Amino acid sequence: MCVLGLGLIGGSLMRALHDAGHETFGYNRSAATVDAATADGYDASSDLVATLRRVADTDAVIVLATPVTTIETLVSSIVEHAPDVLVTDVISVKQEVERVITRLHPAGRYVGGHPMAGTSHSGWSATDATLFDGAMWAVTTTDETPADDWLAVASLALMVGSRVVPVAPDAHDRAVAAISHLPHLTAAATASVGGGESGLALRLAAGSFRDGTRVAGTAPALQRAMIEANGIAVLNVLSETIDRLIAARDDLRDRGTVEVLVDDGHRARSAYEQLHSGAAETITGVRVGNAGWQQELRRQAHQGRVWVG
Amino acid sequence: MCVLGLGLIGGSLMRALHDAGHETFGYNRSAATVDAATADGYDASSDLVATLRRVADTDAVIVLATPVTTIETLVSSIVEHAPDVLVTDVISVKQEVERVITRLHPAGRYVGGHPMAGTSHSGWSATDATLFDGAMWAVTTTDETPADDWLAVASLALMVGSRVVPVAPDAHDRAVAAISHLPHLTAAATASVGGGESGLALRLAAGSFRDGTRVAGTAPALQRAMIEANGIAVLNVLSETIDRLIAARDDLRDRGTVEVLVDDGHRARSAYEQLHSGAAETITGVRVGNAGWQQELRRQAHQGRVWVG
């Protein structure tokens, strides 16, 4: 395996794969990051061409692990130096990555991925080999996905302790707009309003503010890269959020109650807790490669099930 | 000390005071709660009149620890059975409590309190003697507050490991609207939008959704009691939140960017983290009881400082 980009996600993945006994090497543009990774005992280089030649020689799987705004250069180099290898990624939008690859590398082998894991920290110093343990890992699944390539990417997720959620790229982007990108925007709004008060308010801030604004602490460039690359889906869920908050404000002003919003929120949170209590239900009765396997995986994933091999 | 109401906050306070060696007894309307507290070794009763007579006999300090919507009955009984004792509370709004007490018990001794601590669980089974350890505890401070009563309530907070934030009732309510009540509403909206998606979305939900919606899991009746009792302050911060989200939506739609919101949120979150890193600055140079002590405490608290005795 070869990881291009050794920030929080890519660096943690290189650690996890290496520590699990899989030959893994990585590339990062910054020599400081490469030095840090090397000092920690990992196989890293800041020479992209040499890295990609090594990929071609060893038929490694490439994992793109840089912000979506920076992948064009990487994909162009892959076309030049390692055009035949399987490419996946760990980027938080799937349609935009697919668009870039289709445009620059139309004959390339690509299956998208997105591990649902992270912290509000970034960079090699924040990497952690256990980051993906028990996480959900979305693996894109279109009607044209070849079975072997899909299995190779899905097993990469399993190797680091994740469970696989098979998903179409557009369904992925709509889902993460709601459960990942929107929470960054509501956290930012909540933090901004609290921060606009006196030092008194921030001093009194406790658990609800601490947890509700945590992801606002993520590096702004990383937040913008994912949210802005998923603009249409984010616009939809953001508009729905605004509508719900306006309805709550009107209820509170006109009738003195926030019952509807609080009850809806409590019901949704309970459903989330219920779904995540205990082990996830697994996808059953599908043999990857048989007719219609992609649709059947996606159908079961839509019910909240996961693929575990 | 006598705690009226043995839910998460009141019950935890009875535990903490008792475990720290202070004679403490409690009252709860529900016999089941009283039985559970008694079985755990605490001194609890479901007889309000007997409890208040004991308060009057021992000159105990009363702590009101029920939702603000239910305190009228308690205050009326206090007027009847223990009119001379000092009353405080641990309720998350201060002006509404003060209004009820001024109306029903105008000659009573009252200094308001609000520990900034909690979890999304409720009831005696969720109580925890360490809940207040290191927490901020707002203690109301008006120009008429008698020094002895204020010190008695402030020391109660110190006894259980909290730090005291002296604050005027209206400033308290504005601050908690921003840093506590608003986060409940944005959490509810975020949870509702995520919950409206398929099982796929909730399955993919990870850290940002988990933390950003945590407080939506609090019992709806408790959330509504605090938010609706602080309606005007909540309306202000909710409107500001809506305005910020609308501006972000327009930016994203028209210019493809969420830069302003994400940057503002990151700045505010950083200010919060900075303020809460390390020990809080303490209020200095004030002798409680000297001329103007109340204003000076409030002035320094507005800069984020705390009173530690």
Side-chain angles (χ1 to χ4, degrees), chain B residues 11-59:
Chain B
S12 296
L13 181 59
M14 184 164 75
R15 279 184 185 274
L17 288 168
H18 174 272
D19 294 6
H22 304 283
E23 194 190 332
T24 309
F25 55 102
Y27 155 81
N28 202 80
R29 199 176 52 172
S30 136
T33 295
V34 168
D35 290 348
T38 306
D40 286 347
Y42 296 92
D43 186 352
S45 162
S46 60
D47 184 334
L48 180 58
V49 173
T51 302
L52 291 176
R53 285 188 179 143
R54 185 173 167 193
V55 166
D57 288 347
T58 56
D59 198 28

Side-chain angles (χ1 to χ4, degrees), chain A residues 114 116-118 120 136-138 165-167 171-172 174-176 178-221 223-224 227-228 230-232 234-235 237-246 248-250 252-253 256-273 275-276 278-281 301-306, chain B residues 114 116-118 120 136-138 165-167 171-172 174-176 178-221 223-224 227-228 230-232 234-235 237-246 248-250 252-253 256-273 275-276 278-281 301-306:
Chain A
H114 178 205
M116 306 305 299
S120 56
M136 299 299 144
W137 193 304
V165 179
V167 60
H172 168 276
R174 284 196 304 272
V176 297
I179 54 84
S180 171
H181 302 162
L182 175 66
H184 279 83
L185 295 175
T186 49
T190 306
S192 301
V193 172
E197 301 285 321
S198 67
L200 172 74
L202 284 185
R203 171 56 67 206
L204 290 175
S208 60
F209 187 86
R210 179 193 66 224
D211 290 354
T213 64
R214 180 182 61 81
V215 293
T218 308
Q223 296 190 68
R224 289 183 55 195
I227 294 167
E228 294 168 1
N230 198 19
I232 291 172
V234 172
L235 279 173
V237 291
L238 184 51
S239 290
E240 184 186 341
T241 307
I242 291 166
D243 290 345
R244 284 179 181 270
L245 290 175
I246 288 174
R249 182 188 58 187
D250 294 351
L252 183 58
R253 185 189 56 207
T257 179
V258 288
E259 182 175 12
V260 174
L261 179 60
V262 166
D263 281 358
D264 283 354
H266 185 260
R267 203 175 300 116
R269 172 71 191 188
S270 301
Y272 159 80
E273 289 176 2
L275 190 72
H276 285 260
E281 263 193 85
H302 264 279
Q303 300 166 346
R305 296 191 193 162
V306 301
Chain B
H114 178 206
M116 304 306 299
S120 56
M136 299 299 144
W137 193 304
V165 180
V167 59
H172 168 277
R174 284 197 304 272
V176 297
I179 55 82
S180 171
H181 302 162
L182 175 66
H184 279 83
L185 296 175
T186 49
T190 307
S192 301
V193 172
E197 301 286 320
S198 67
L200 171 74
L202 283 186
R203 172 55 70 206
L204 291 174
S208 60
F209 187 86
R210 179 192 65 225
D211 290 353
T213 66
R214 181 182 62 80
V215 293
T218 308
Q223 295 189 67
R224 289 182 56 195
I227 294 167
E228 294 169 1
N230 197 18
I232 291 172
V234 171
L235 278 172
V237 291
L238 184 52
S239 289
E240 182 185 343
T241 307
I242 291 166
D243 290 345
R244 284 179 182 270
L245 290 174
I246 288 175
R249 182 188 60 188
D250 294 351
L252 182 58
R253 186 190 56 209
T257 179
V258 287
E259 182 175 10
V260 174
L261 180 60
V262 166
D263 281 358
D264 283 353
H266 186 262
R267 201 174 303 116
R269 173 72 190 186
S270 302
Y272 160 80
E273 289 175 1
L275 190 71
H276 285 261
E281 263 192 85
H302 264 278
Q303 300 167 347
R305 297 193 192 162
V306 301

Side-chain angles (χ1 to χ4, degrees), chain A:
Chain A
M1 258 77 62
C2 170
V3 181
L4 304 183
L6 302 176
L8 172 67
I9 303 294
S12 295
L13 182 58
M14 184 165 76
R15 279 184 183 273
L17 288 168
H18 174 271
D19 294 6
H22 305 282
E23 194 190 332
T24 309
F25 54 103
Y27 155 83
N28 202 79
R29 200 178 50 173
S30 135
T33 296
V34 167
D35 289 348
T38 307
D40 286 346
Y42 297 92
D43 186 352
S45 162
S46 60
D47 183 334
L48 180 59
V49 172
T51 302
L52 291 175
R53 285 188 180 144
R54 183 173 167 193
V55 165
D57 288 346
T58 56
D59 198 28
V61 175
I62 289 179
V63 183
L64 299 172
T66 65
V68 65
T69 42
T70 65
I71 61 170
E72 295 204 358
T73 317
L74 295 178
V75 174
S76 300
S77 294
I78 291 169
V79 173
E80 190 172 351
H81 301 289
D84 301 327
V85 305
L86 175 61
V87 176
T88 186
D89 71 300
V90 289
I91 296 170
S92 58
V93 291
K94 296 277 61 74
Q95 292 177 103
E96 178 62 19
V97 174
E98 206 181 46
R99 270 192 290 270
V100 170
I101 290 181
T102 304
R103 178 161 52 82
L104 299 177
H105 192 22
R109 294 161 58 203
Y110 169 70
V111 175
H114 178 205
M116 306 305 299
T119 75
S120 56
H121 302 288
S122 51
W124 176 262
S125 61
T127 57
D128 172 4
T130 69
L131 185 65
F132 309 105
D133 204 21
M136 299 299 144
W137 193 304
V139 177
T140 59
T141 315
T142 73
D143 294 351
E144 288 75 41
T145 305
D148 288 350
D149 288 348
W150 191 85
L151 285 170
V153 171
S155 15
L156 188 153
L158 298 181
M159 281 172 200
V160 296
S162 294
R163 282 140 210 283
V164 172
V165 179
V167 60
D170 59 339
H172 168 276
D173 288 358
R174 284 196 304 272
V176 297
I179 54 84
S180 171
H181 302 162
L182 175 66
H184 279 83
L185 295 175
T186 49
T190 306
S192 301
V193 172
E197 301 285 321
S198 67
L200 172 74
L202 284 185
R203 171 56 67 206
L204 290 175
S208 60
F209 187 86
R210 179 193 66 224
D211 290 354
T213 64
R214 180 182 61 81
V215 293
T218 308
L222 298 180
Q223 296 190 68
R224 289 183 55 195
M226 67 182 188
I227 294 167
E228 294 168 1
N230 198 19
I232 291 172
V234 172
L235 279 173
N236 284 333
V237 291
L238 184 51
S239 290
E240 184 186 341
T241 307
I242 291 166
D243 290 345
R244 284 179 181 270
L245 290 175
I246 288 174
R249 182 188 58 187
D250 294 351
D251 277 356
L252 183 58
R253 185 189 56 207
D254 302 337
R255 305 193 296 117
T257 179
V258 288
E259 182 175 12
V260 174
L261 179 60
V262 166
D263 281 358
D264 283 354
H266 185 260
R267 203 175 300 116
R269 172 71 191 188
S270 301
Y272 159 80
E273 289 176 2
Q274 177 68 26
L275 190 72
H276 285 260
S277 68
E281 263 193 85
T282 55
I283 293 172
T284 54
V286 192
R287 193 175 170 80
V288 173
N290 279 7
W293 65 274
Q294 301 101 329
Q295 296 94 316
E296 182 58 18
L297 285 185
R298 294 198 301 265
R299 190 186 68 75
Q300 294 194 35
H302 264 279
Q303 300 166 346
R305 296 191 193 162
V306 301
W307 189 85
V308 292

